Amino acid sequence: LPHAISNRLAAQGLEEHLPLEMEDRLFKNAPERVSSSFAHRLSFLHTSPAAKAMVSGFIGEGGSFSEISRLTSKELPIFLRLASVAPEHALAAVERFAAGGNLGKLHQFEIEKIAQLVQSIAYDANLFDRCVMTLLALRPLQAKDRNSGEWKLEQLRALFQPYYSGTLATGAQRAPHIKRLLASDDHEELKAGLTLLAEALKVRNFLHTSPLQFGARKRGVGWWPKSIEDHRAWHLLFIGI
């Protein structure tokens, strides 16, 4: 069936069943293929109140998929798919995970997937500040660059570019994070601040790592200077730091 029809039928079906019943049949006691397929379908239903309520129960605090450090390699992809339906709950789960500072059952390559998720959530200017803090908190769990021995900061670097940032946050919202890092007594935070400042002052060779889709949520390239005045204001802001 076309996505538009299958999504509508799925949303109607959710309203006819209890969340606990669905969780039991399609997650807890279902083959991996079934649970993965159901999570994939749910990821397209962010406009459905029933889907939002169900997913919020799954990944919200206390839910079956709310403690990332306890998720298996089979359960993490389900969490990542469900995140697009309830981004705030997903971000809160990652915040708790990052604060714990423990990989749990996960591997470092899976931390990259979690960081990419946070980067997607950062498209929303209202969640940008929390996403930046979360990405910084995830840093100790991520692998360093094999050649330089430094943190890659790939997702953070993209968020501070003037073009292709993948976030609707303006320069005025991004600049305070760089100022705070540059004023830090922590050497690693200072280096991160310098890296992000360099990204903000770039004029070419921008990263293109921002996803253009998040579940069924469409994503653009983010806020960018659309006029000479915008361009000048952006660079004056970050040069002034």
Side-chain angles (χ1 to χ4, degrees):
L1 289 175
H3 272 304
I5 296 176
S6 56
N7 287 343
R8 185 168 68 249
L9 291 175
Q12 291 174 352
L14 290 179
E15 296 174 357
E16 298 172 2
H17 296 82
L18 295 173
L20 289 177
E21 179 185 1
M22 299 289 281
E23 181 179 9
D24 186 60
R25 290 185 178 183
L26 297 173
F27 280 134
K28 288 184 176 179
N29 297 310
E32 180 188 352
R33 186 175 178 181
V34 173
S35 58
S36 179
S37 177
F38 182 54
H40 179 70
R41 179 57 57 192
L42 277 176
S43 71
F44 292 104
L45 304 181
H46 69 276
T47 60
S48 163
K52 283 184 178 180
M54 180 178 291
V55 171
S56 295
F58 289 162
I59 67 176
E61 191 165 9
S64 301
F65 297 87
S66 63
E67 296 303 322
I68 295 176
S69 62
R70 299 178 185 175
L71 298 181
T72 66
S73 59
K74 294 180 180 179
E75 293 170 332
L76 180 63
I78 292 176
F79 170 83
L80 295 175
R81 286 195 173 107
L82 297 177
S84 63
V85 183
E88 289 196 48
H89 284 296
L91 179 56
V94 179
E95 287 172 331
R96 291 193 299 272
F97 170 67
N102 178 17
L103 281 172
K105 297 181 179 180
L106 303 182
H107 301 285
Q108 282 189 323
F109 76 89
E110 291 172 315
I111 303 301
E112 292 301 315
K113 294 181 180 180
I114 294 172
Q116 290 164 7
L117 166 65
V118 177
Q119 182 183 8
S120 292
I121 296 174
Y123 183 80
D124 184 344
N126 292 326
L127 298 176
F128 177 81
D129 296 324
R130 287 173 60 192
C131 287
V132 170
M133 299 302 293
T134 302
L135 286 170
L136 287 168
L138 281 174
R139 185 182 43 173
L141 299 178
Q142 293 180 280
K144 291 185 176 181
D145 184 271
R146 291 183 178 180
N147 296 321
S148 67
E150 303 289 344
W151 305 112
K152 296 178 183 179
L153 303 177
E154 186 174 331
Q155 291 78 29
L156 273 170
R157 287 169 55 207
L159 291 174
F160 284 83
Q161 298 177 151
Y163 296 93
Y164 306 106
S165 64
T167 178
L168 295 177
T170 63
Q173 188 173 352
R174 301 184 219 183
H177 291 285
I178 295 178
K179 288 181 179 179
R180 181 182 58 80
L181 289 169
L182 293 178
S184 175
D185 294 327
D186 183 277
H187 182 61
E188 292 298 332
E189 287 197 345
L190 177 59
K191 286 198 296 185
L194 290 171
T195 298
L196 298 184
L197 180 59
E199 292 297 325
L201 293 174
K202 261 186 177 181
V203 295
R204 61 174 68 88
N205 298 327
F206 301 109
L207 297 172
H208 293 253
T209 61
S210 302
L212 296 178
Q213 197 162 352
F214 183 38
R217 298 173 187 266
K218 300 298 181 183
R219 292 288 194 254
V221 297
W223 183 93
W224 54 281
K226 298 179 178 64
S227 66
I228 294 175
E229 290 75 16
D230 287 345
H231 195 273
R232 183 172 181 273
W234 172 277
H235 281 87
L236 285 176
L237 172 63
F238 288 98
I239 288 173
I241 292 177

